[in-house]
Amino acid sequence: MIRQSIIKALQKIVGKENLLTQKEDMLTYSYDAAVLNPVIPAAAVIPENTEMLGEIIALCHENRIPVTVRGSGTNLSGGTIPETSGIVLLTSRLNKIIEINEADMYAVVEPGVVTANLAAQVEKMGLFYPPDPGSMAVSTLGGNVAENAGGLRGLKYGVTKDYVMGMRFFDCQGNHIKTGSKTVKCATGYNLTGLMVGSEGTLGILDRIILKLIPAPKARVAMVAVYNTIEQASETVAGIISARILPATLEILDNFTIRAVENFSKAGLPKDAGALLLIEVDGHPALVGEEAEQIRALCLKMGANSIEKAENEAQRDRIWAARRSALSALAQLKPTLILEDATVPRSRIPDMVSAIQGIANTYKIDIGTFGHAGDGNLHPTILTDRRNKEEFKRVEKAIEEIFDTALAMGGTLSGEHGTGLAKAAFLEKEAGVSSILFSRRLRAALDPHNILNPGKITGA
Ligand SMILES: Cc1cc2nc3c(=O)[nH]c(=O)nc-3n(C[C@H](O)[C@H](O)[C@H](O)COP(=O)(O)OP(=O)(O)OC[C@H]3O[C@@H](n4cnc5c(N)ncnc54)[C@H](O)[C@@H]3O)c2cc1C
């Protein structure tokens, strides 16, 4: 619950139209894309500008009200599940692209800008913002930075952290903090930019982000390689990397996922294939053809039945739209979908793929596997029904075994989806107790009353 006087104070800051307290509205903000219990917040607030944002945070600090900031709520780790006594702060109206600087190749944006909108704007200028989470048509840049989101192009171009040059954010008291710069290099002070990337709304609330842009590649070729078995496909992934070829994108889909995607998207994928590799090479026109040919030869040598190039942009777009629909396609099959993102060193992809199959068999559950195989980031996707308690227990055990397997291979619990609430209890397995205590001390020093997104990352 929240005191009436606070509601009035919030209303004074943002206006009646930007403050929501009705139960129906609160339901909308009680969950995100993770499979966790919803929590109904006390209110949702929609600031229209930076001044309003700062005033809200200061008010919440003064009154010890928990604040959970929310972009589009597409995170898969419970990062926007609020507190019952807290508010949800929506960034949907902080959605301006403030500057795109062609000469110095950077963009300054507000946190609520939708990722695909920035990508489309810079593309018109021959520039490129590479981080492309599968959710980019709806996710926000604030959410991407706060989760250190990856995407399909991570293999060649890296992830969000590689493009954040600087930012401005509010600390828990509403002080405005600036870090980083518009220059290519910046070596002053602590690297607060690095600290804030991936901090999931627990250390501060971003209101400006400076993002690096790069020249757009002049040519690209997309290909689909068809395999009888997922083992052959995953061996090829390791083979391409060890041949020192770096495609922009190297995605794998198992048969379970192919069938779901094809039924959903009708993109023309072969439903009887054991696995597919979706590959894109990009760069200078003189080199792209040669690299595509090298990959074609390697795929055929390593067991592909066929490998087809997209003939034109429309065909290419169909391939990637199909891949981006994987989560939605699988979600049609059963009431509950849990998308994991345990990640291993790339050379261990074949081992991880077969370990996931073994785990699915052991626990007698459905797991579709797809993902960014080229950077070791698989998405074993568990299809279940949360209401079936007996099955859900098996699912929980399977998830823990997936985590343990990835860690035993030298991997990580999350390549891109973050810790949030979903993985907070498992973090110790990866990071160790000293690391968690250090993080808790850091957090307590920066936010002594624990108002910024409580419970996420470091646990209670
Ligand atoms: C279909 C689908 C496909 C996906 N594909 C990918 C993928 O390929 N790669 C990937 O990495 N993720 C993927 N995701 C996960 C998700 O889209 C990303 O985590 C994304 O970055 C979340 O953006 P958002 O705007 O929805 O943020 P939200 O979910 O609203 O918030 C995410 C976190 O950021 C914090 N936050 C938001 N705004 C701010 C701010 N201004 N200041 C401080 N903290 C803030 C929130 O408190 C929360 O902790 C996918 C999700 C779906 C549903």
Side-chain angles (χ1 to χ4, degrees), residues 102-151:
E102 292 187 64
D104 290 326
M105 292 203 287
Y106 67 78
V108 182
V109 298
E110 290 189 323
V113 171
V114 168
T115 317
N117 289 354
L118 177 71
Q121 287 302 318
V122 303
E123 197 180 322
K124 287 183 201 154
M125 302 169 179
L127 291 169
F128 189 30
Y129 176 67
D132 62 339
S135 52
M136 69 189 290
V138 281
S139 72
T140 64
L141 289 162
N144 293 172
V145 172
E147 293 287 352
N148 188 18

Coordinates of all heavy atoms in Angstrom, one line a residue, residues 102-151:
E102 N 26.4 12.1 -37.3 CA 27.0 11.3 -38.3 C 28.5 11.5 -38.4 O 29.2 10.5 -38.7 CB 26.4 11.8 -39.7 CG 25.0 11.4 -39.8 CD 24.5 11.7 -41.2 OE1 25.0 11.1 -42.2 OE2 23.6 12.6 -41.4
A103 N 29.0 12.7 -38.1 CA 30.5 12.9 -38.2 C 31.2 12.1 -37.1 O 32.2 11.5 -37.4 CB 30.8 14.4 -38.0
D104 N 30.7 12.2 -35.9 CA 31.4 11.5 -34.8 C 30.8 10.1 -34.5 O 31.2 9.4 -33.6 CB 31.3 12.4 -33.5 CG 32.2 13.6 -33.7 OD1 33.3 13.4 -34.4 OD2 31.9 14.7 -33.2
M105 N 29.8 9.7 -35.2 CA 29.2 8.4 -35.2 C 28.8 8.0 -33.7 O 29.3 7.0 -33.2 CB 30.1 7.3 -35.8 CG 30.3 7.5 -37.3 SD 30.8 6.0 -38.1 CE 32.5 5.9 -37.7
Y106 N 27.8 8.7 -33.2 CA 27.2 8.3 -32.0 C 25.8 8.8 -32.0 O 25.4 9.7 -32.8 CB 27.9 8.9 -30.7 CG 27.9 10.4 -30.6 CD1 26.8 11.0 -30.1 CD2 29.0 11.2 -31.0 CE1 26.7 12.4 -30.0 CE2 28.9 12.6 -30.8 CZ 27.8 13.2 -30.4 OH 27.7 14.5 -30.3
A107 N 25.0 8.2 -31.1 CA 23.6 8.7 -30.9 C 23.4 9.0 -29.5 O 23.9 8.3 -28.6 CB 22.6 7.7 -31.4
V108 N 22.6 10.0 -29.2 CA 22.1 10.2 -27.8 C 20.6 10.0 -27.7 O 19.9 10.6 -28.5 CB 22.5 11.7 -27.3 CG1 22.1 11.9 -25.9 CG2 23.9 12.0 -27.5
V109 N 20.2 9.1 -26.8 CA 18.8 8.7 -26.8 C 18.3 8.8 -25.4 O 19.0 8.7 -24.4 CB 18.6 7.3 -27.3 CG1 19.0 7.2 -28.8 CG2 19.3 6.3 -26.5
E110 N 17.0 8.9 -25.3 CA 16.3 8.7 -24.0 C 16.1 7.2 -23.8 O 16.1 6.4 -24.8 CB 15.0 9.5 -24.0 CG 15.2 11.0 -23.9 CD 13.9 11.8 -23.7 OE1 12.8 11.4 -24.2 OE2 14.0 12.8 -22.9
P111 N 15.9 6.7 -22.6 CA 15.8 5.3 -22.4 C 14.7 4.6 -23.0 O 14.7 3.3 -23.2 CB 15.8 5.2 -20.8 CG 15.3 6.5 -20.4 CD 15.7 7.5 -21.3
G112 N 13.5 5.3 -23.2 CA 12.3 4.6 -23.7 C 12.3 4.4 -25.2 O 11.3 3.9 -25.8
V113 N 13.4 4.8 -25.9 CA 13.4 4.6 -27.4 C 13.4 3.1 -27.7 O 14.2 2.4 -27.1 CB 14.7 5.3 -28.0 CG1 14.8 4.9 -29.5 CG2 14.6 6.8 -27.8
V114 N 12.6 2.7 -28.6 CA 12.5 1.3 -29.0 C 13.7 1.0 -29.9 O 14.1 1.7 -30.8 CB 11.2 1.0 -29.8 CG1 11.2 -0.4 -30.4 CG2 10.0 1.1 -28.8
T115 N 14.4 -0.1 -29.6 CA 15.7 -0.5 -30.2 C 15.6 -0.4 -31.7 O 16.5 0.2 -32.4 CB 16.1 -1.9 -29.8 OG1 15.8 -2.1 -28.4 CG2 17.5 -2.2 -30.1
A116 N 14.5 -1.0 -32.3 CA 14.4 -1.1 -33.8 C 14.3 0.3 -34.4 O 14.7 0.5 -35.5 CB 13.3 -2.0 -34.2
N117 N 13.7 1.3 -33.6 CA 13.5 2.6 -34.2 C 14.9 3.3 -34.3 O 15.1 3.9 -35.4 CB 12.7 3.5 -33.2 CG 11.2 3.0 -33.2 OD1 10.9 2.2 -34.0 ND2 10.4 3.6 -32.4
L118 N 15.8 3.1 -33.4 CA 17.1 3.7 -33.5 C 17.8 3.0 -34.7 O 18.4 3.7 -35.6 CB 17.9 3.6 -32.2 CG 19.4 4.1 -32.4 CD1 19.3 5.7 -32.5 CD2 20.3 3.7 -31.3
A119 N 17.7 1.7 -34.7 CA 18.4 1.0 -35.8 C 18.0 1.5 -37.2 O 18.8 1.7 -38.1 CB 18.2 -0.5 -35.6
A120 N 16.6 1.7 -37.3 CA 16.1 2.1 -38.6 C 16.5 3.5 -39.0 O 16.9 3.8 -40.1 CB 14.6 2.0 -38.6
Q121 N 16.5 4.4 -37.9 CA 16.9 5.8 -38.2 C 18.4 5.9 -38.7 O 18.7 6.6 -39.6 CB 16.8 6.6 -36.9 CG 15.4 6.9 -36.5 CD 14.6 7.7 -37.6 OE1 15.1 8.6 -38.2 NE2 13.4 7.3 -37.8
V122 N 19.3 5.2 -38.0 CA 20.7 5.3 -38.3 C 21.0 4.6 -39.7 O 21.9 5.0 -40.4 CB 21.6 4.8 -37.2 CG1 21.4 5.5 -35.9 CG2 21.6 3.3 -37.0
E123 N 20.2 3.6 -40.0 CA 20.4 2.8 -41.2 C 20.2 3.8 -42.4 O 20.9 3.7 -43.4 CB 19.5 1.7 -41.3 CG 19.9 0.6 -42.4 CD 18.9 -0.5 -42.4 OE1 18.4 -1.0 -41.4 OE2 18.7 -1.0 -43.6
K124 N 19.3 4.7 -42.3 CA 19.0 5.7 -43.4 C 20.2 6.5 -43.7 O 20.3 7.1 -44.7 CB 17.8 6.6 -43.0 CG 16.5 5.9 -43.0 CD 15.4 6.9 -42.7 CE 14.2 6.2 -42.2 NZ 13.4 7.1 -41.3
M125 N 21.1 6.7 -42.7 CA 22.3 7.5 -42.8 C 23.5 6.7 -43.2 O 24.7 7.2 -43.1 CB 22.6 8.3 -41.5 CG 21.4 9.1 -41.1 SD 21.7 9.7 -39.4 CE 20.2 10.7 -39.2
G126 N 23.3 5.4 -43.5 CA 24.5 4.5 -43.8 C 25.2 4.1 -42.5 O 26.4 3.7 -42.6
L127 N 24.6 4.3 -41.4 CA 25.3 3.9 -40.1 C 24.6 2.6 -39.6 O 23.5 2.2 -40.1 CB 25.2 5.1 -39.1 CG 26.0 6.3 -39.5 CD1 25.7 7.5 -38.6 CD2 27.5 6.0 -39.4
F128 N 25.2 2.1 -38.5 CA 24.7 0.8 -38.0 C 24.8 0.8 -36.5 O 25.8 1.1 -35.9 CB 25.7 -0.2 -38.6 CG 25.4 -1.7 -38.5 CD1 24.0 -2.1 -38.4 CD2 26.4 -2.6 -38.4 CE1 23.7 -3.5 -38.3 CE2 26.1 -4.0 -38.3 CZ 24.8 -4.4 -38.2
Y129 N 23.7 0.4 -35.9 CA 23.7 0.1 -34.4 C 23.4 -1.4 -34.3 O 22.3 -1.9 -34.4 CB 22.6 0.9 -33.7 CG 22.5 0.5 -32.2 CD1 23.6 0.9 -31.4 CD2 21.5 -0.2 -31.7 CE1 23.6 0.5 -30.1 CE2 21.5 -0.6 -30.4 CZ 22.5 -0.2 -29.6 OH 22.5 -0.6 -28.2
P130 N 24.5 -2.2 -34.1 CA 24.4 -3.7 -34.3 C 23.6 -4.4 -33.2 O 23.0 -5.4 -33.6 CB 25.9 -4.1 -34.3 CG 26.7 -2.9 -34.6 CD 25.9 -1.8 -34.0
P131 N 23.6 -4.1 -31.9 CA 22.9 -5.0 -31.0 C 21.4 -5.2 -31.4 O 20.6 -4.2 -31.5 CB 23.0 -4.3 -29.6 CG 24.2 -3.4 -29.8 CD 24.2 -2.9 -31.2
D132 N 21.0 -6.4 -31.6 CA 19.7 -6.7 -32.1 C 19.0 -7.8 -31.4 O 18.8 -8.9 -31.9 CB 19.8 -7.1 -33.6 CG 20.7 -8.3 -33.8 OD1 21.4 -8.7 -32.9 OD2 20.5 -9.0 -34.9
P133 N 18.6 -7.6 -30.1 CA 17.9 -8.7 -29.4 C 16.7 -9.1 -30.3 O 16.1 -8.3 -31.0 CB 17.4 -8.0 -28.1 CG 17.7 -6.5 -28.3 CD 18.7 -6.4 -29.3
G134 N 16.3 -10.4 -30.1 CA 15.1 -10.9 -30.9 C 13.9 -10.1 -30.6 O 13.0 -10.1 -31.4
S135 N 13.9 -9.3 -29.5 CA 12.7 -8.5 -29.1 C 12.8 -7.1 -29.6 O 12.1 -6.2 -29.2 CB 12.6 -8.5 -27.6 OG 13.9 -8.1 -27.1
M136 N 13.8 -6.8 -30.5 CA 14.1 -5.4 -30.8 C 12.9 -4.5 -31.3 O 12.9 -3.3 -31.2 CB 15.3 -5.2 -31.7 CG 15.1 -5.7 -33.1 SD 16.6 -5.7 -34.1 CE 17.1 -4.0 -34.2
A137 N 11.9 -5.2 -31.9 CA 10.8 -4.4 -32.3 C 10.0 -3.8 -31.2 O 9.2 -2.9 -31.4 CB 9.9 -5.3 -33.2
V138 N 10.2 -4.3 -30.0 CA 9.4 -3.7 -28.8 C 10.3 -3.3 -27.7 O 10.0 -2.4 -26.9 CB 8.4 -4.7 -28.3 CG1 7.1 -4.7 -29.1 CG2 8.9 -6.1 -28.1
S139 N 11.5 -3.9 -27.5 CA 12.3 -3.6 -26.3 C 12.9 -2.2 -26.4 O 13.0 -1.6 -27.5 CB 13.5 -4.6 -26.3 OG 14.5 -4.3 -27.3
T140 N 13.2 -1.6 -25.3 CA 13.7 -0.3 -25.2 C 15.2 -0.3 -25.1 O 15.8 -1.3 -24.5 CB 13.1 0.5 -24.1 OG1 13.6 -0.1 -22.8 CG2 11.6 0.6 -24.1
L141 N 15.9 0.8 -25.4 CA 17.3 0.9 -25.3 C 17.7 1.0 -23.8 O 18.7 0.4 -23.4 CB 17.9 2.1 -26.1 CG 17.8 1.9 -27.6 CD1 17.9 3.2 -28.3 CD2 18.9 0.9 -28.1
G142 N 16.9 1.6 -23.0 CA 17.1 1.6 -21.5 C 17.1 0.2 -21.0 O 18.0 -0.2 -20.2
G143 N 16.1 -0.6 -21.4 CA 16.1 -2.0 -21.0 C 17.2 -2.8 -21.5 O 17.8 -3.7 -20.8
N144 N 17.7 -2.5 -22.7 CA 18.8 -3.2 -23.3 C 20.1 -2.9 -22.5 O 20.9 -3.8 -22.2 CB 19.1 -2.8 -24.8 CG 18.0 -3.2 -25.8 OD1 18.0 -2.8 -26.9 ND2 17.0 -4.0 -25.3
V145 N 20.3 -1.6 -22.2 CA 21.5 -1.3 -21.4 C 21.4 -1.9 -20.0 O 22.4 -2.5 -19.6 CB 21.6 0.3 -21.4 CG1 22.8 0.6 -20.5 CG2 21.9 0.8 -22.8
A146 N 20.3 -1.8 -19.4 CA 20.2 -2.3 -18.0 C 20.3 -3.8 -18.0 O 20.6 -4.4 -16.9 CB 18.8 -1.9 -17.4
E147 N 20.0 -4.5 -19.1 CA 20.2 -6.0 -19.1 C 21.5 -6.4 -19.8 O 21.8 -7.6 -19.9 CB 19.0 -6.6 -19.9 CG 17.7 -6.5 -19.2 CD 17.6 -7.4 -18.0 OE1 18.5 -8.3 -17.7 OE2 16.5 -7.3 -17.3
N148 N 22.2 -5.4 -20.4 CA 23.3 -5.8 -21.3 C 22.9 -6.8 -22.3 O 23.5 -7.9 -22.5 CB 24.5 -6.3 -20.5 CG 25.8 -6.4 -21.4 OD1 25.8 -5.9 -22.5 ND2 26.7 -7.2 -21.0
A149 N 21.8 -6.4 -23.0 CA 21.2 -7.4 -24.0 C 22.2 -7.7 -25.1 O 23.0 -6.9 -25.5 CB 19.9 -6.7 -24.6
G150 N 22.0 -9.0 -25.6 CA 22.8 -9.5 -26.7 C 21.8 -9.5 -27.9 O 20.9 -8.7 -28.0
G151 N 22.1 -10.4 -28.8 CA 21.2 -10.5 -30.0 C 21.8 -11.5 -31.0 O 22.8 -12.2 -30.7

